Amino acid sequence: MTTRLVILLACLAVPAAANLASDELLAAFQTRLERGESIDPICESLEDKDGDTLKALLADLNKAWPGVRDRYLKTLEDEAASVVGGGNDSRKRIRDLREEFLRIRNLDEAPMKPLLKSKSMPAVEELRQMLAPSAGEIVAKLPPATTKLRQAATQLARFRDAALDADYSATPSDSVEQLAAAEARIAAETGDLPRDGLRILEKNRRTAEDTGVPEDEARGVEEANLWRLLVGLNALEIDPKLCEAARDHSKDMAEQGFFAHESPVPGKATPWDRARNFGTTASGENIYAGSTQPESANKGWFFSPGHHKNLFGANHTRIGLGRHGSHWTQLFGK
């Protein structure tokens, strides 16, 4: 299939009294597509077109868009698994990487520390590429024919969005976003993380939304859980009460000027006290200061042996994360 399909499908929608200006735009779009030229000039020119031309153009594009989009996405679904790969060699590599990661995790802290950067994090990244590839990583490996389908769909999406914007249409100009979201969904479905773990991640998203856990804290919990799933451990359920307790400790550290697991605040001396104050229990705690981003906190804990052992503890079942300013507290529960 070539990019000519874009216009062939569009032409199905052309009425008997077609708008000649719309036809010229479609022809120019097809020519640029076939030559691999930028469609930016055509998209920019739409701002100067009259309403009748834009409505005629949108009628054609709305006819073409679903077919081009769906054919590309169906092909992507069919090919994604083979692009990512698998087989006995991959399974053995996954096993070896996980065994090496957990072996390092169980070392004493001194010999463990240098290996966290040289061995453990590279292992996690390789496992992610094998078990949870991004849409971009899958797209980069597509065969030429499917790449052409994607180019046609992407350019048509851009052209349709530009026409919708120029026409001030009530229809959302989200064709490009639709395509990206669908690619992300296919990438997620192509991955080979355990389904029970993925269900916990989805449950955590709903829990965080329903209970008002801040987005950055929920994001940090999801990243930690993804790492755990990649290395063969269980995903942890988010505990909003642990998040509250963690957030409260981060606030105390920031405002009271201390950085420690032992708190000088009455009634909050230990992590267990702090968890109990919020109606839950704790089995471990990590603290971090220096960034407002959860990814920085997680990375800091990953490369710190004692915190790393907590982060990848096999006996945890719950997790909470709380930020105040650039202070973070991570609490675990059994």
Side-chain angles (χ1 to χ4, degrees):
M1 169 174 166
T2 69
T3 54
R4 189 172 294 277
L5 174 65
V6 175
I7 302 307
L8 290 177
L9 286 173
C11 287
L12 295 176
V14 178
N19 184 299
L20 293 179
S22 172
D23 290 350
E24 290 172 358
L25 287 167
L26 288 171
F29 173 72
Q30 175 171 327
T31 298
R32 285 184 171 272
L33 213 56
E34 291 176 343
R35 292 177 178 173
E37 298 174 349
S38 171
I39 65 167
D40 288 351
I42 305 176
C43 292
E44 292 166 3
S45 74
L46 297 180
E47 295 295 334
D48 300 324
K49 303 305 177 186
D50 62 77
D52 289 343
T53 297
L54 290 172
K55 285 179 172 50
L57 177 63
L58 280 169
D60 296 339
L61 295 177
N62 289 339
K63 179 74 174 183
W65 168 239
V68 175
R69 175 197 63 203
D70 294 348
R71 180 154 185 179
Y72 160 59
L73 293 176
K74 177 63 168 62
T75 304
L76 179 62
E77 283 181 337
D78 292 342
E79 294 181 352
S82 61
V83 165
V84 172
N88 291 332
D89 289 345
S90 292
R91 286 192 288 273
K92 182 179 184 304
R93 181 60 179 162
I94 290 167
R95 239 182 357 259
D96 290 346
L97 287 167
R98 286 175 166 175
E99 288 174 0
E100 177 70 354
F101 182 94
L102 295 176
R103 183 190 69 78
I104 293 170
R105 188 254 175 221
N106 291 329
L107 292 174
D108 291 337
E109 293 190 9
M112 176 187 184
K113 187 174 178 61
L115 296 177
L116 294 177
K117 285 189 177 181
S118 65
K119 297 287 186 181
S120 299
M121 184 56 83
V124 168
E125 178 55 25
E126 185 175 346
L127 286 164
R128 188 198 60 74
Q129 291 177 11
M130 298 176 74
L131 297 171
S134 69
E137 288 167 339
I138 292 175
V139 163
K141 297 178 182 179
L142 291 173
T146 309
T147 297
K148 287 182 179 179
L149 287 179
R150 183 176 190 270
Q151 290 169 344
T154 301
Q155 297 296 67
L156 183 61
R158 289 187 58 220
F159 194 36
R160 179 174 181 264
D161 284 350
L164 287 166
D165 286 338
D167 190 49
Y168 298 103
S169 173
T171 302
S173 53
D174 61 356
S175 313
V176 173
E177 292 179 12
Q178 284 181 32
L179 206 59
E183 288 178 334
R185 173 186 58 78
I186 291 169
E189 292 172 353
T190 300
D192 198 25
L193 291 174
R195 294 297 175 237
D196 57 345
L198 292 175
R199 282 192 290 272
I200 290 175
L201 264 57
E202 180 56 36
K203 180 183 177 183
N204 284 350
R205 295 181 197 119
R206 293 194 301 270
T207 300
E209 184 175 351
D210 292 344
T211 60
V213 173
E215 186 275 337
D216 58 349
E217 296 175 6
R219 194 169 81 243
V221 167
E222 179 143 338
E223 181 181 54
N225 266 330
L226 176 60
W227 286 348
R228 290 178 61 90
L229 290 175
L230 289 171
V231 301
L233 295 171
N234 60 308
L236 308 177
E237 292 196 11
I238 194 168
D239 181 342
K241 293 180 179 179
L242 277 180
C243 290
E244 291 183 66
R247 199 178 308 123
D248 188 63
H249 186 54
S250 295
K251 182 173 183 290
D252 285 344
M253 287 192 293
E255 294 184 349
Q256 301 293 327
F258 72 96
F259 183 73
H261 297 291
E262 291 291 322
S263 172
V265 180
K268 303 180 183 180
T270 70
W272 338 124
D273 296 330
R274 297 189 286 274
R276 186 168 56 250
N277 290 342
F278 285 88
T280 187
T281 59
S283 56
E285 181 183 75
N286 287 334
I287 55 176
Y288 173 89
S291 173
T292 60
Q293 300 304 310
E295 294 82 4
S296 297
N298 278 337
K299 191 171 291 186
W301 292 323
F302 188 102
F303 292 127
S304 172
H307 299 95
H308 184 98
K309 288 178 181 291
N310 250 348
L311 184 57
F312 295 98
N315 294 324
H316 304 316
T317 61
R318 295 176 290 114
I319 186 172
L321 184 65
R323 178 180 73 88
H324 184 85
S326 60
H327 283 72
W328 292 86
T329 301
Q330 185 180 55
L331 281 168
F332 301 97
K334 294 182 180 179

